Amino acid sequence: FDCSGFTSYVYKQFGYSINRTASNQLDNGYAVDRANLQPGDLVMFCQYGSTKRASHVGLYIGNNQYVHASTPGVGVIISDMDDMSISSGYVGARRIV
């Protein structure tokens, strides 16, 4: 999986269709403040140097963590929302359900 393919796949398993790219997934559902995240919310990031609205997406799982497809070599992993390599580019969250 790439990151948005992973989130699309997970939501599809529950009968929901969401946009395919991280940037376009910013248009799904409705915005949620970071302080109000719930498990299942999409969390979006924009990595340094990217010109996209969002270049990475994952699923919030609670306890300040999210699951995401990291890189092809690493695969799907759980990361902390405060991981500075990603969270410095946090752009928002969307609730689908």
Side-chain angles (χ1 to χ4, degrees):
F1 289 112
D2 66 4
C3 63
S4 57
F6 171 69
T7 55
S8 295
Y9 175 82
V10 170
Y11 269 99
K12 186 175 183 177
Q13 300 313 300
F14 293 95
Y16 295 91
S17 177
I18 61 175
N19 294 333
R20 178 59 182 87
T21 68
S23 285
N24 289 339
Q25 286 179 7
L26 274 168
D27 298 326
N28 290 119
Y30 58 92
V32 178
D33 289 332
R34 187 169 176 169
N36 296 321
L37 288 172
Q38 294 180 2
D41 289 343
L42 296 171
V43 288
M44 277 80 164
F45 305 90
C46 192
Q47 295 170 326
Y48 179 77
S50 175
T51 59
K52 299 176 182 178
R53 295 188 304 154
S55 58
H56 194 65
V57 62
L59 294 167
Y60 187 71
I61 59 171
N63 296 319
N64 203 43
Q65 295 182 315
Y66 69 107
V67 61
H68 60 112
S70 178
T71 65
V74 174
V76 176
I77 61 171
I78 294 172
S79 295
D80 193 280
M81 290 286 293
D82 295 325
D83 177 0
M84 289 309 292
S85 66
I86 298 291
S87 67
S88 60
Y90 177 81
V91 295
R94 306 297 289 186
R95 184 160 299 149
I96 306 302
V97 180

